[in-house]
Amino acid sequence: MESGTLIYEDRMAKKKAEAKVETSGAAAPPDRMALLTSMLLQRRFEERCAEAYALGRIGGFCHLYIGQEACGTGAISVLRDDDYVITTYRDHGQALARGMSPRAAMAELFGRIDGCARGRGGSMHFFDRNTNFLGGHGIVGGHVPLATGVGFAIKYRGGDQVCLCFMGESVVNTGAFHEALNMAGLWKLPVIYVIENNRYGMGTALERASAIHDIYQRGAAYDMPRGVVDGQDVLAVREKVAEAVHRARTESLPTLLEVRTYRFMGHSMSDAVSGTYRSKAELEEYMKRDPIMVLRMRMQAAGEIDDDGMAKLDADVKAIVQDAWEFADASAEPPVESLYEDVYVDSTT
Amino acid sequence: MPVITFRDALNHAIREEMQRDDRVFLMGEEVAVYQGAYKVSKGLLQEFGEMRIVDTPITELGFAGVGVGSAMVGLRPIIEFMTWNFALLALDQVVNSAAKMLYMSGGQFNIPIVFRGPNGAALQLAAQHSQAWESWLVHIPGLKVVAPGTPYDAKGLLKSAVRDDNPVIVLEGEMLYNTKGEVPSEEYVVPIGEADLKREGDHCSLITWGKSVLVALQAADQLAKEGIRVDLVDLRSLRPMDVAAIVKSVRKTNRAVVLEEGWEVCGVGAQVVDYIQRDCFDDLDAPVLRVTQADVPMPYAKNLERAAKPDVAKTVAAVKRVMYVE
């Protein structure tokens, strides 16, 4: 447990140090070990989520990020502490990548008082004011105007922060997406809209939902800088997002970035992994490009990690997750007397 | 005391709150260059500039969400809907984002935002532009809802709404903008959640809010000529609602009529009646009656529209019925 906690804190320290050197359009040299550690933590964390779900320890809807870890990890790795992140209900991985404590994350999933939303949000509504993590949001498209509003506030105050807004590819067909990106383009707001194109909106393939299939081209409608990147390659994601962040900081321009990825699990824990809408063969083909494997192989080739190192890292990460589980398990349920708290704040200015 | 219009009272409230706090801004359709579809924001662009008086495209869902997002990170937006009829497109942001954010974030993100604009029917605007939405909004925990009926209350409540750290809905009657009333030039606010006794009487409670206050005042005048003294309770705030004021009045009069602009089924008046039956069951000398819009989409033709709307005659008749005088 001790070593696990240390590694976690060490990772956070590195992330902060790294963020500070990001000064130009090019990403600072990546700390590849930190990226690998973060992705592995998310993977192991969510494997235990699946286990907890099966045991009935986690209820409701639970959407796993397994297979998509490189998207959030690469993108968030170039942010400063004072930047903002907002996302959908598939939010565990990004929250951890942003620095949310695994203990607070697991406790939230268990519906406990020490959870990141005091047990009021659950899987879909992770929030963390300390890391400017503005939430997991449950209505497809609903959070995209919020991101535009965060960009508006940054510009209003004359700051040089950015807002990173994650969404799945199915969001691009909502009215909220169109309205939000139009205003960001119109007003030149420092928001990076990252579309994690995992090919399926629940069980509906992109080609059956969108009139155009290169969805980054939608940015043309808003005169917005746009691009597409391999979402299984964390370093490529990082590079592209760094360009966009630089553009947002220095020119206050939004970017629409399509990150092509694949979800290795079902849409949520209550859905089949494959079946009516995608074949097992297709799934297996995509799983050959596991984002953690892709980075590990590259690091192994460069002599940055070997099998023993990987095994040690894995053991450390598993210890962190085990600690989170035990913490969540020991945490109390929210007191029933607190039911009516947090509906309103009792304050004015 | 200066006499000004309801419109100017709102304008002064916005101006004063924007002078007081530079995090406050106004956003909506036609609020800046056009000076406001109903001229509520007249002169504000010139005073505060385009970063704080912000014209939007016609994109209600979008700019409502922009307001909520900006409030998450410290701004205090006033979002103007040209009418609440258009705000239906933005309801997801009002309900799922603004109202629930504090709760589902475990108390981390409050949303200090005002959503305001004209509510209810004007004249011959037909079905899609003539609707009173309060029951939809009052239904939602996490929102506060106010519906002023006079310039004094409009200014005082809007100022309270801007200073409140929660999302507040301000429902303005389109037909009220030109009405006039006394508004002090010195600083004041009207607290959210406090009803106001607009007329004192001991024969029958007449409970209402918003634009219907005008109708109720006229009905009370007419009834007074016939010797019927109405206790006119102007709720002013619908969530939280001043239940104590309702109960106090009904215990005094033993009879009540609830007047509202909207439809009968699941209207706010139904909730008022529920409070009365819970707390005043033994005090009542007659069933509580409601005066509402007819249960139809608003028609265009003048005579049909008149027939559909609650008015002075219908209110007077209802009061007489609970008095058993007709």
Side-chain angles (χ1 to χ4, degrees), chain A residues 152 155 182-189, chain B residues 27 54-57 66:
Chain A
F152 177 85
K155 191 160 186 167
N182 181 55
M183 280 183 281
L186 178 68
W187 295 335
K188 302 199 185 329
L189 302 178
Chain B
M27 174 177 275
V54 188
D55 273 334
T56 67
V66 166

Side-chain angles (χ1 to χ4, degrees), chain A residues 62-219:
Chain A
C62 183
H63 309 82
L64 300 185
Y65 199 49
I66 291 175
Q68 303 181 211
E69 293 95 338
C71 307
T73 310
I76 289 169
S77 74
V78 298
L79 293 187
R80 294 193 319 223
D81 286 352
D82 62 342
D83 291 325
Y84 299 99
V85 176
I86 190 165
T87 188
T88 68
Y89 45 82
R90 199 179 300 282
D91 57 2
H92 313 161
Q94 293 150 356
L96 292 173
R98 184 58 176 160
M100 180 183 284
S101 129
R103 286 178 162 193
M106 195 63 91
E108 186 60 33
L109 292 164
F110 278 34
R112 302 300 168 89
I113 190 66
D114 296 305
C116 62
R118 302 179 68 212
R120 296 206 187 303
S123 167
M124 296 187 286
H125 306 303
F126 277 16
F127 286 84
D128 187 7
R129 189 175 261 294
N130 292 330
T131 59
N132 279 351
F133 190 77
L134 304 179
H137 297 266
I139 307 296
V140 172
H143 72 297
V144 190
L146 302 182
T148 301
V150 173
F152 177 85
I154 293 167
K155 191 160 186 167
Y156 186 95
R157 291 192 293 238
D160 72 339
Q161 298 145 290
V162 304
C163 178
L164 199 54
C165 175
F166 292 99
M167 70 197 87
E169 85 292 337
S170 62
V171 170
V172 306
N173 302 312
T174 66
F177 172 86
H178 165 66
E179 296 190 18
L181 268 74
N182 181 55
M183 280 183 281
L186 178 68
W187 295 335
K188 302 199 185 329
L189 302 178
V191 185
I192 299 105
Y193 301 93
V194 177
I195 297 174
E196 298 185 12
N197 176 4
N198 67 16
R199 308 260 308 106
Y200 297 94
M202 198 165 160
T204 302
L206 166 68
E207 293 77 12
R208 297 176 59 227
S210 176
I212 62 170
H213 303 160
D214 286 328
I215 50 182
Y216 67 96
Q217 296 291 14
R218 297 237 188 183

Side-chain angles (χ1 to χ4, degrees), chain B residues 155-171:
Chain B
K155 182 176 178 188
L157 282 169
L158 180 51
K159 285 169 73 81
S160 287
V162 174
R163 295 180 192 186
D164 202 289
D165 284 339
N166 300 285
V168 183
I169 308 289
V170 181
L171 302 170

Side-chain angles (χ1 to χ4, degrees), chain A residues 13-62:
Chain A
K14 275 182 177 165
K15 191 168 79 69
K16 283 179 183 166
E18 204 182 333
K20 286 200 182 79
V21 300
E22 192 270 310
T23 51
S24 74
D31 179 341
R32 309 212 282 193
M33 187 59 83
L35 294 170
L36 184 66
T37 306
S38 178
M39 290 200 290
L40 197 59
L41 174 67
Q42 294 166 51
R43 177 69 56 91
R44 297 300 182 224
F45 182 91
E46 286 204 314
E47 285 168 353
R48 297 301 300 279
C49 289
E51 182 189 334
Y53 197 88
L55 292 169
R57 310 299 289 273
I58 298 174
F61 289 134
C62 183

